[in-house]
Amino acid sequence: MTLIEIINLHKTYGKITALKGISLTVPAGEIFGLLGPNGAGKTTLIRCLCTLTRPDTGDIFVAGISVLEQPRRVRQKLGYVAQELALDKVLTGRELLQLHADIYHLPRDFAQQRIAEMVSLLNLEDWVDRRTGGYSGGMKKRLDLAMGLLHQPQVLVLDEPTVGLDIESRTVVWEFLRRIRAQGTTVFLTSHYLEEIDALADQVAILDQGKLIASDTPGALKAALGGERVTLKVREFTPRDEAERVQKVLQELHFVQNVIINTTQGNSLNLVIAPTPNSLAMIQEKVTSLNLPVFSVMQSQPSLDDVYLAATGRTLQDADLAARGG
Ligand code: ATP
């Protein structure tokens, strides 16, 4: 069953076009991941969904209700966990949860029951009665998740939920999202972490420069690519000119379909190859024919990064770097 339907969404900010005609459907009861580098348009899309930004054209329906025509009814169905935390420092966690319950006009008994459930679900017992000014980043995120889910929304929408968190807190967030999915909540999250989407999402949509470049299950997207991947490091950190010389000779091999230089990984080379016996040995021979060493060479199955690479010609990390002006 489709829960969210996004139809031909366009959004511009002055001369910048953030969304260029996005259409998507999100099934109920699943974790839907929106993947893309910085500046791809993920936050803009999420803000349109949460009725915080009005699209120029297009519409979004949540359980059949239009965000443009009935934003208030849509908001009742959504919980939103923003990228930036905006917690008051003086209030305690419990006071903030209560405030949130009041904003949503939750009946008093129901609010108390939900606060108790959220505190237990997110292991907030030791912290909920302390002022949030003393919370760690991970603890603040837990409180933010509790607030997003307090009014029992059908969909929890999260913008980059694990940015800046340590591994332990990230695991807590992932487990929480899996648990609420099991309880029937639909989860819509953005991320620019491939491993996060791979680990969590039932469905993924990949956004690049305001356009949808792929949408399916992570498994189907990877399987559709075909071929095998080889990652080659000439040195641990290879000078650019050496990587370019190697790229040129590797392209001469008949089974090599594509070679790109991965700047963020010390100019390692990413190859797409047709499955061929002795391919790794032939690749190494080519490198040594240039009188260059081979630091490491590794074969693998396609990843979501390869899906992004195939569609855009660059890795997600390189796109992130470029977006940050690197
Ligand atoms: P990030 O991960 O960095 O948040 P994103 O994928 O969420 O990236 P958006 O924040 O939606 O991307 O931004 C898409 C484009 O729209 C970017 O070029 C951004 O600079 C621009 N943009 C976003 N919000 C505004 C705004 N309020 N005014 C002007 N330009 C904006």
Side-chain angles (χ1 to χ4, degrees):
M1 192 190 90
T2 295
L3 187 60
I4 302 172
E5 194 172 8
I6 299 172
I7 301 170
N8 199 19
L9 217 60
H10 285 261
K11 177 71 191 174
T12 52
Y13 299 104
K15 285 186 184 148
I16 296 171
T17 307
L19 298 175
K20 301 173 183 164
I22 304 292
S23 296
L24 269 182
T25 54
V26 178
E30 293 193 352
I31 298 181
F32 191 97
L34 190 61
L35 180 70
N38 288 120
K42 304 182 299 296
T43 301
T44 304
L45 180 58
I46 265 198
R47 287 182 61 85
C48 291
L49 169 63
C50 294
T51 76
L52 299 169
T53 296
R54 203 179 159 87
D56 300 338
T57 58
D59 201 349
I60 303 178
F61 294 87
V62 180
I65 305 164
S66 157
V67 294
L68 298 180
E69 283 168 22
Q70 294 181 286
R72 194 183 284 238
R73 277 189 69 202
V74 167
R75 281 201 288 274
Q76 290 291 339
K77 300 202 168 289
L78 301 175
Y80 176 48
V81 180
Q83 200 174 117
E84 301 285 331
L85 299 165
L87 293 183
D88 179 288
K89 291 191 174 82
V90 179
L91 296 180
T92 66
R94 192 181 300 281
E95 286 164 341
L96 276 169
L97 286 167
Q98 186 58 56
L99 188 67
H100 204 74
D102 292 343
I103 291 171
Y104 277 91
H105 305 292
L106 302 187
R108 195 162 174 78
D109 287 351
F110 178 68
Q112 294 318 311
Q113 177 203 328
R114 286 296 290 165
I115 290 173
E117 280 170 19
M118 290 299 108
V119 167
S120 157
L121 187 64
L122 286 152
N123 292 330
L124 277 165
E125 290 88 350
D126 292 345
W127 288 88
V128 72
D129 291 309
R130 299 190 202 183
R131 288 183 176 179
T132 56
Y135 282 23
S136 66
M139 209 45 79
K140 283 183 191 157
K141 184 55 90 177
R142 285 189 210 187
L143 186 63
D144 225 25
L145 294 172
M147 289 198 285
L149 209 59
L150 199 65
H151 61 290
Q152 265 186 331
Q154 257 178 293
V155 190
L156 187 63
V157 182
L158 308 105
D159 196 2
E160 305 263 5
T162 61
V163 159
L165 296 188
D166 57 37
I167 290 174
E168 197 197 328
S169 299
R170 191 159 85 158
T171 311
V172 170
V173 173
W174 286 10
E175 279 313 308
F176 169 80
L177 296 179
R178 289 191 182 113
R179 207 176 311 170
I180 63 168
R181 171 184 57 187
Q183 291 167 356
T185 306
T186 303
V187 176
F188 188 102
L189 82 154
T190 72
S191 182
H192 63 263
Y193 297 138
L194 292 159
E195 68 279 14
E196 180 156 279
I197 297 292
D198 231 350
L200 278 180
D202 302 301
Q203 298 267 339
V204 57
I206 305 182
L207 217 57
D208 185 61
Q209 298 179 1
K211 281 197 202 136
L212 185 69
I213 58 172
S215 178
D216 209 327
T217 65
L221 287 177
K222 289 186 274 189
L225 279 184
E228 287 173 1
R229 269 66 195 158
V230 173
T231 306
L232 168 77
K233 282 189 168 194
V234 177
R235 304 175 195 275
E236 194 170 4
F237 299 100
T238 311
R240 181 79 195 184
D241 64 315
E242 279 186 10
E244 284 173 2
R245 280 168 61 208
V246 173
Q247 181 184 36
K248 203 161 166 229
V249 294
L250 291 180
Q251 277 162 343
E252 292 164 3
L253 289 166
H254 71 278
F255 57 86
V256 172
Q257 294 163 352
N258 194 13
V259 188
I260 67 123
I261 299 172
N262 194 341
T263 323
T264 45
Q265 296 296 321
N267 289 328
S268 66
L269 292 117
N270 291 5
L271 290 79
V272 181
I273 63 166
T276 309
N278 299 325
S279 53
L280 290 191
M282 285 190 266
I283 288 169
Q284 294 195 53
E285 246 170 55
K286 275 285 183 191
V287 182
T288 44
S289 74
L290 294 173
N291 283 330
L292 289 172
V294 173
F295 178 78
S296 66
V297 57
M298 220 171 56
Q299 199 159 352
S300 59
Q301 296 300 310
S303 67
L304 278 181
D305 205 15
D306 295 316
V307 175
Y308 182 80
L309 178 65
T312 66
R314 56 188 183 160
T315 66
L316 198 67
Q317 273 184 322
D318 278 348
D320 254 344
L321 201 68
R324 283 189 238 119

